[in-house]
């Protein structure tokens, strides 16, 4: 099994009523050393263009709607790590 490096995101006083978009905005406000540039995919039940735009505005690089096939999720993860952030954010889910 291949080793995977993970980056810790240090969060203090996380509100349990926070949704993923609000959490990502707080993560993006962190310094790079604290995890503010961690790569992230929004995985939601909503597939509309407005939902995609909301995810991008919050700081996610990609947006996928559920249910998602494992192969598609793996492709999205690979794409996220093999493209620049600008290129990744322009990819619309199918």
């Amino acid at each position: 099994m291949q080793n995977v490096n993970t980056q810790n995101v240090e969060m203090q006083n996380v509100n349990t009523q926070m949704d993923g978009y609000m959490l990502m905005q707080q993560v993006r406000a962190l310094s790079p050393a604290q995890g503010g540039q961690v790569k992230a995919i929004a995985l939601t039940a909503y597939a509309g263009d407005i939902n995609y735009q909301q995810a991008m505005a919050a700081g996610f690089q990609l947006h996928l709607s559920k249910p998602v096939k494992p192969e598609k999720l793996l492709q999205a993860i690979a794409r996220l790590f093999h493209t620049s952030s600008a290129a990744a954010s322009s990819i619309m889910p199918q």
Side-chain angles (χ1 to χ4, degrees):
M1 182 176 201
Q2 181 180 0
N3 290 336
V4 177
N5 290 327
T6 58
Q7 184 175 10
N8 292 328
V9 177
E10 184 178 315
M11 299 292 296
Q12 296 179 0
N13 302 320
V14 175
N15 180 346
T16 58
Q17 300 300 315
M18 182 182 307
D19 67 16
Y21 300 115
M22 295 177 352
L23 175 63
M24 185 51 58
Q25 289 172 335
Q26 286 195 359
V27 168
R28 293 296 177 235
L30 297 173
S31 71
Q34 292 176 305
Q37 294 180 348
V38 67
K39 296 180 186 305
I41 298 173
L43 184 59
T44 74
Y46 307 104
D49 186 55
I50 189 75
N51 307 108
Y52 169 82
Q53 296 299 329
Q54 184 180 14
M56 296 303 104
F60 289 94
Q61 285 93 0
L62 292 174
H63 174 267
L64 296 175
S65 59
K66 296 186 274 186
V68 61
K69 294 182 179 182
E71 302 83 28
K72 186 174 180 179
L73 179 58
L74 289 173
Q75 288 172 351
I77 293 168
R79 188 178 325 137
L80 186 62
F81 283 91
H82 292 100
T83 62
S84 69
S85 294
S89 66
S90 68
I91 300 170
M92 287 286 293
Q94 297 179 2

